[in-house]
C-alpha cells in the first residue's frame, strides 16, 4: 500500500502534504494488480516541487535492483543492497558552479547519490533474485507528464515512485494524469515483451542490424576528406559484412553551423562524401548535435534569442562542456525550430544521408521551463526530430531513453568507450586521465560502456536497435591489449546490433580482418543471464546460433575467457 508525500508552493508558501485529498489537490490512486495509476485534480492554483508514492518492502541479501540511468550514457546495472551508486567526484562538489558544470549531462542537480543500498532508476526498473531469470518490473507508459523515477532504499526497506514535476504549475480545477505504471512479474523475456510491446506500444525497430565505421574514436574532430575516403576504401576486404559508414564530428565549421562545411577539410562538400559512400553500397550516416550551438558559432552570435536562458538569472545556458562550451537552441522558439528542420532537410534530402546520429539531446531539458516538466520537454524535442527526419533513420545519443523508446530507430545505450582500457601511470593522455577520474556517471569509460551494454541488452529489438558504441582492433592510437579488444568486440556483438569500429581496416593483417568479419556478422544471439559474480567480475550466459556459451570477464583488468567464445 502506497503512502503519499508532496511539496508545493501555494499562496506563495512552501507546503508539504501527506494526504491524497488535501486543501491543494485530490489524487485518486488506483493500485490494482498489474497497475499503479494516479490522476490529480487541483483545488487551488499551485506550483509543484515534488511528489512521490512510498511503499515499504523487505529486501534480502540476494535481492537485486536494476537501475536505468538518467540518459543513454549514464551507468545502468543491477545493484545489491551492499552496492553504492556513485555520483560526481568530491572535487566537483566544491561549489555550486563547479557542480553544475561537471553535472550538466546528468541528474545531479535534482537527484541524490552516494548512499549504500540507495538507488534510483528512470522510466522503468526491475527486481530479481540472484541466479533467477524471473523479475518484477515497474515501468511507466510515457514520460510526457514528467520523468518517472523509481527510488529504492534496500537497507531501509523503502520503495518510492516519483514524478519529476519540478516547476509545473496547475490551476484550480485542472486535471493532471501523474502516474501510469505497469507492474509485471514473470520470466525475464516475457516481462520485457509485455512492457515494451503491449504497455508502452513500441513496434519492432526498422533497423535490425548495422555494422560499419564511424570516424570519431581514431581522429575525433581531426578528420578531412582524404582520411574519410581512405578509411572508406579500407573496408573493402570486409565489405560483405558492412552496411553503414558514418562521418562524425569535425566536418562543420562549428557546432550549430551544420550547413557551413569546413572547406579546408572537405573541399568537395558533404554530398560528395555521401555519394562516395553510396557507391560502395553502404548507407551513409552523419553526426549532428541538433540542439546545440558552440559559443563562438555563427548561430549563437547571430541569433541569441534562439537560445535557452536560465530560469533564475536569464543568462544563456550552457548545455554541453565540449567545444569550449555550447548553448542550447530552444525548440519552443519558432525560428530556432524552423532552423532545425531546415538543417535536416538539407542533410537528408540535398546531401543524401540515410541516417543521422543525434547527440547531446539531454541538453534540451536540463531545466524545466514554459510550465513544462523536463520529461515533457524531452518528449517534445524527440517528436520534433522525428518530424524533421521523416522516414530517415535516427540514431539517438545522449538522450533520456524513456523519451525515445519506440520513436528512434536506434539508440546508444552506453557512455562513450575510452581509447584506454584503464588508467596507466605511463600514459598521461586525456583519455587515460578521464578513466581515472570518472568525474560523473556519463564520462567516457570502457568499463561503464561494457556494463551498460550488458545490462541494457534487453532494450535491443524492443525499444530500438541497441548501439553499444565502438570496439577496437587497431594497434596504434589505442590503449587496449589484444584480449581486451576481443572482449569488447564480443560483448558488443552479443548484446547490441549497431556495431562500429573507428579503425582504418586497410591497415589490418588477415587475422584482424577475420576478427572484424566475426564481430560484424549478424548471428542469432539470446541472452540467458547476465550478472555480477564477484567485484568487477561479470558472467554473461548466452546462446549463439543455438550453441550455449558463457563469457566471464573482469572489468578492471579485461581478463576473460573470450577466446573460447569466438
Amino acid at each position: 500500500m502506497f503512502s503519499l508525500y508532496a511539496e508545493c508552493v501555494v499562496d506563495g508558501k512552501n507546503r508539504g502534504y501527506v494526504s491524497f485529498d488535501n486543501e491543494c489537490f485530490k489524487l485518486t490512486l488506483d493500485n490494482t494488480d498489474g497497475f499503479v495509476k494516479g490522476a490529480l485534480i487541483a483545488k487551488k492554483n499551485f506550483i509543484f516541487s515534488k511528489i512521490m508514492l512510498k511503499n515499504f518492502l523487505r529486501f534480502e541479501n540476494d535481492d537485486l535492483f536494476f537501475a536505468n540511468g538518467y540518459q543513454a550514457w549514464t551507468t545502468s546495472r543491477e545493484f545489491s543492497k551492499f552496492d553504492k551508486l556513485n555520483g560526481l567526484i568530491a572535487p566537483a562538489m566544491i561549489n555550486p558552479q563547479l557542480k553544475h558544470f561537471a553535472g550538466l549531462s546528468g541528474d545531479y542537480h535534482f537527484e541524490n547519490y552516494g548512499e549504500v543500498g540507495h538507488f534510483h532508476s528512470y522510466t522503468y526498473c526491475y527486481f530479481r533474485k540472484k541466479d533467477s531469470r524471473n523479475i518484477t518490473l515497474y515501468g511507466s507508459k510515457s514520460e510526457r507528464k514528467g520523468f518517472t523515477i523509481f527510488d529504492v532504499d534496500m537497507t531501509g526497506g523503502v520503495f518510492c515512485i516519483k514524478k519529476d514535476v519540478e516547476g509545473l504549475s496547475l490551476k484550480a480545477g485542472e486535471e493532471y494524469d501523474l502516474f501510469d505504471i505497469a507492474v509485471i512479474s514473470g520470466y525475464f523475456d516475457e516481462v520485457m515483451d509485455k512492457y515494451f510491446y503491449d504497455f508502452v506500444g513500441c513496434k519492432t525497430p526498422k533497423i535490425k542490424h548495422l555494422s560499419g565505421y564511424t570516424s570519431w574514436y581514431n581522429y575525433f574532430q581531426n578528420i578531412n576528406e582524404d582520411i574519410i575516403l581512405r578509411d572508406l576504401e579500407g573496408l573493402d576486404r570486409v565489405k560483405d559484412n558492412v552496411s553503414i559508414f558514418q562521418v562524425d564530428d569535425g566536418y562543420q565549421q562549428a557546432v550549430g553551423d551544420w550547413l557551413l562545411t569546413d572547406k579546408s577539410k572537405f573541399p568537395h562538400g558533404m554530398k560528395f562524401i555521401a555519394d562516395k559512400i553510396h557507391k560502395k553500397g553502404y548507407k551513409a550516416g552523419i553526426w549532428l548535435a541538433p540542439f546545440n550551438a558552440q559559443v563562438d558559432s555563427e548561430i549563437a552570435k547571430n541569433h541569441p534569442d534562439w537560445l535557452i536562458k536560465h530560469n533564475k538569472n536569464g543568462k544563456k545556458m550552457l548545455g554541453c562542456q565540449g567545444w569550449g562550451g555550447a548553448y542550447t537552441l530552444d525548440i519552443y522558439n519558432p525560428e530556432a525550430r524552423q532552423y532545425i528542420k531546415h538543417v535536416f532537410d538539407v542533410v537528408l534530402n540535398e546531401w543524401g544521408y540515410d541516417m543521422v546520429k543525434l547527440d547531446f539531446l539531454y541538453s534540451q531539458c536540463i531545466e524545466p521551463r514554459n510550465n513544462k516538466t523536463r520529461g515533457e520537454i524531452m518528449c517534445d524535442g524527440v517528436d520534433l526530430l522525428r518530424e524533421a527526419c521523416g522516414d530517415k533513420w535516427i540514431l539517438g545519443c545522449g538522450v533520456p531513453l524513456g523519451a525515445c523508446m519506440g520513436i528512434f530507430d536506434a539508440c546508444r545505450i552506453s557512455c562513450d568507450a575510452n581509447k584506454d582500457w584503464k588508467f596507466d601511470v605511463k600514459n598521461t593522455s586525456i583519455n587515460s586521465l578521464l578513466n581515472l577520474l570518472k568525474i560523473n556517471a556519463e564520462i567516457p569509460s570502457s568499463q561503464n560502456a561494457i556494463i551498460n551494454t550488458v545490462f541494457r541488452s534487453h532494450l535491443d529489438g524492443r525499444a530500438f536497435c541497441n548501439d553499444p558504441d565502438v570496439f577496437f582492433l587497431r594497434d596504434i592510437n589505442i590503449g587496449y591489449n589484444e584480449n581486451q579488444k576481443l572482449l569488447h568486440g564480443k560483448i558488443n556483438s552479443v548484446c547490441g546490433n549497431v556495431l562500429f569500429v573507428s579503425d582504418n581496416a586497410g591497415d589490418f593483417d588477415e587475422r584482424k580482418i577475420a576478427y572484424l568479419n566475426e564481430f560484424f556478422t549478424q548471428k542469432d544471439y539470446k541472452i540467458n543471464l547476465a550478472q555480477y559474480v564477484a567485484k568487477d567480475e561479470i558472467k554473461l550466459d548466452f546462446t549463439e546460433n543455438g550453441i550455449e556459451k558463457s563469457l566471464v570477464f573482469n572489468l578492471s583488468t579485461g581478463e576473460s575467457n573470450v577466446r573460447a567464445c569466438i
Side-chain angles (χ1 to χ4, degrees):
M1 181 65 68
F2 285 102
S3 60
L4 173 74
Y5 179 73
E7 292 181 5
C8 311
V9 178
V10 188
D11 300 327
K13 297 181 180 180
N14 294 313
R15 298 183 179 177
Y17 298 97
V18 295
S19 172
F20 285 89
D21 191 354
N22 54 65
E23 64 170 0
C24 185
F25 60 81
K26 178 180 180 181
L27 176 63
T28 301
L29 189 67
D30 179 9
N31 182 17
T32 57
D33 288 342
F35 296 98
V36 179
K37 296 178 182 289
L40 182 146
I41 300 177
K43 295 182 180 180
K44 289 186 173 184
N45 297 347
F46 72 91
I47 302 173
F48 255 130
S49 295
K50 65 174 62 174
I51 189 165
M52 69 175 70
L53 302 173
K54 183 177 181 180
N55 198 3
F56 292 96
L57 299 175
R58 181 181 176 86
F59 296 102
E60 306 293 341
N61 290 349
D62 62 345
D63 283 322
L64 299 170
F65 175 77
F66 170 75
N68 181 48
Y70 172 61
Q71 54 118 321
W73 304 338
T74 311
T75 306
S76 303
R77 50 162 286 197
E78 292 179 345
F79 293 93
S80 78
K81 64 191 299 183
F82 307 105
D83 294 320
K84 184 170 67 173
L85 183 61
N86 293 318
L88 299 177
I89 60 173
M93 306 291 285
I94 293 174
N95 63 59
Q97 286 185 330
L98 187 59
K99 178 181 177 181
H100 175 78
F101 189 74
L104 274 177
S105 57
D107 61 351
Y108 310 98
H109 46 302
F110 61 96
E111 274 299 321
N112 297 316
Y113 286 79
E115 295 182 35
V116 173
H118 197 158
F119 316 103
H120 60 272
S121 181
Y122 284 83
T123 306
Y124 72 105
C125 68
Y126 66 75
F127 297 93
R128 76 173 182 91
K129 294 282 188 182
K130 188 173 182 179
D131 297 325
S132 174
R133 191 65 173 164
N134 291 315
I135 64 171
T136 294
L137 178 145
Y138 289 78
S140 172
K141 188 177 185 67
S142 171
E143 303 297 68
R144 293 183 182 276
K145 295 292 186 178
F147 289 129
T148 309
I149 305 169
F150 299 95
D151 193 293
V152 63
D153 178 0
M154 298 181 77
T155 57
V158 179
F159 176 58
C160 296
I161 304 176
K162 303 190 292 188
K163 205 72 176 176
D164 175 31
V165 289
E166 180 186 341
L168 176 68
S169 64
L170 296 177
K171 296 181 179 179
E174 190 172 351
E175 299 183 11
Y176 200 81
D177 292 329
L178 270 174
F179 299 104
D180 192 357
I181 309 294
V183 185
I184 311 170
S185 296
Y187 182 70
F188 190 97
D189 289 321
E190 294 173 356
V191 169
M192 290 298 175
D193 286 347
K194 287 179 182 178
Y195 173 60
F196 287 104
Y197 295 140
D198 299 341
F199 188 67
V200 178
C202 296
K203 305 296 182 184
T204 302
K206 288 186 294 184
I207 297 175
K208 183 173 177 59
H209 182 84
L210 285 177
S211 53
Y213 170 95
T214 183
S215 57
W216 180 250
Y217 293 92
N218 205 351
Y219 315 105
F220 298 115
Q221 286 189 309
N222 299 317
I223 56 173
N224 58 44
E225 190 174 285
D226 291 339
I227 288 173
I228 293 298
L229 295 182
R230 182 200 67 196
D231 286 8
L232 177 63
E233 293 293 326
L235 291 172
D236 281 352
R237 286 185 292 164
V238 292
K239 67 181 306 179
D240 289 344
N241 285 315
V242 173
S243 53
I244 191 161
F245 188 97
Q246 179 177 280
V247 181
D248 215 289
D249 188 6
Y251 62 89
Q252 73 286 351
Q253 289 187 13
V255 167
D257 299 334
W258 307 110
L259 305 182
L260 300 178
T261 302
D262 187 332
K263 292 295 186 182
S264 66
K265 296 165 72 175
F266 291 87
H268 294 93
M270 299 314 294
K271 183 181 184 305
F272 173 80
I273 298 296
D275 289 344
K276 289 289 188 180
I277 296 170
H278 288 147
K279 286 181 180 179
K280 289 289 185 181
Y282 310 145
K283 296 288 187 182
I286 194 167
W287 174 93
L288 303 95
F291 295 150
N292 301 114
Q294 204 167 323
V295 293
D296 57 354
S297 65
E298 294 299 314
I299 286 294
K301 288 187 290 187
N302 296 333
H303 301 283
D305 53 315
W306 291 7
L307 307 176
I308 294 175
K309 312 298 190 299
H310 276 292
N311 290 330
K312 293 182 180 180
N313 58 27
K315 294 183 179 179
K316 291 178 288 189
M317 184 173 69
L318 283 179
C320 308
Q321 302 103 323
W323 318 292
Y327 302 123
T328 306
L329 299 178
D330 187 349
I331 60 170
Y332 301 113
N333 179 296
E335 292 182 343
R337 191 179 184 90
Q338 188 55 45
Y339 170 72
I340 292 170
K341 289 183 176 181
H342 174 63
V343 166
F344 285 113
D345 182 44
V346 172
V347 169
L348 296 171
N349 299 319
E350 293 185 21
W351 292 357
Y353 285 84
D354 308 289
M355 186 182 81
V356 283
K357 175 186 174 182
L358 307 182
D359 211 348
F360 294 90
L361 302 184
Y362 69 83
S363 60
Q364 190 62 226
C365 67
I366 291 174
E367 291 184 355
R369 64 186 189 279
N370 300 346
N371 197 31
K372 295 177 182 290
T373 66
R374 294 181 181 90
E376 184 177 3
I377 293 168
M378 196 68 259
C379 288
D380 286 347
V382 167
D383 287 345
L384 170 61
L385 297 174
R386 182 75 276 173
E387 177 189 353
C389 294
D391 292 332
K392 294 294 182 79
W393 291 345
I394 296 176
L395 167 58
C397 190
V399 60
L401 300 185
C404 65
M405 296 188 315
I407 299 175
F408 286 173
D409 306 291
C411 193
R412 175 77 73 77
I413 55 166
S414 74
C415 62
D416 283 15
N418 198 303
K419 293 200 306 177
D420 296 312
W421 182 268
K422 62 179 182 178
F423 176 72
D424 185 343
V425 293
K426 297 179 181 179
N427 182 354
T428 58
S429 72
I430 185 63
N431 295 290
S432 185
L433 291 173
L434 285 175
N435 251 353
L436 172 68
L437 292 174
K438 290 185 171 55
I439 296 169
N440 56 40
E442 292 79 31
I443 204 76
S445 163
S446 296
Q447 287 76 21
N448 280 356
I450 287 174
I451 290 169
N452 280 23
T453 297
V454 170
F455 287 104
R456 279 176 166 168
S457 61
H458 55 264
L459 295 170
D460 188 52
R462 294 184 173 107
F464 33 65
C465 186
N466 278 11
D467 173 14
D469 205 24
V470 300
F471 62 93
F472 308 99
L473 290 174
R474 67 179 186 262
D475 293 325
I476 58 173
N477 193 25
I478 196 70
Y480 278 53
N481 62 40
E482 183 166 90
N483 285 337
Q484 291 163 348
K485 296 173 191 175
L486 298 182
L487 173 62
H488 204 165
K490 188 62 179 180
I491 290 172
N492 282 13
S493 61
V494 172
C495 299
N497 265 301
V498 179
L499 304 173
F500 280 127
V501 292
S502 287
D503 307 338
N504 175 20
D507 293 335
F508 284 1
D509 59 23
E510 291 307 314
R511 184 177 64 174
K512 284 185 170 57
I513 290 294
Y515 283 138
L516 190 55
N517 274 317
E518 163 72 19
F519 297 140
F520 275 179
T521 299
Q522 185 175 358
K523 299 178 182 178
D524 181 16
Y525 287 113
K526 181 179 182 298
I527 308 297
N528 298 320
L529 185 63
Q531 63 183 6
Y532 279 84
V533 292
K535 179 177 172 57
D536 286 336
E537 189 167 293
I538 293 175
K539 183 181 181 185
L540 176 62
D541 295 328
F542 63 96
T543 303
E544 177 181 328
N545 292 338
I547 300 173
E548 292 188 358
K549 299 183 178 183
S550 290
L551 177 61
V552 183
F553 56 93
N554 185 289
L555 285 163
S556 178
T557 65
E559 295 177 356
S560 72
N561 66 331
V562 66
R563 292 181 185 274
C565 295
I566 294 178

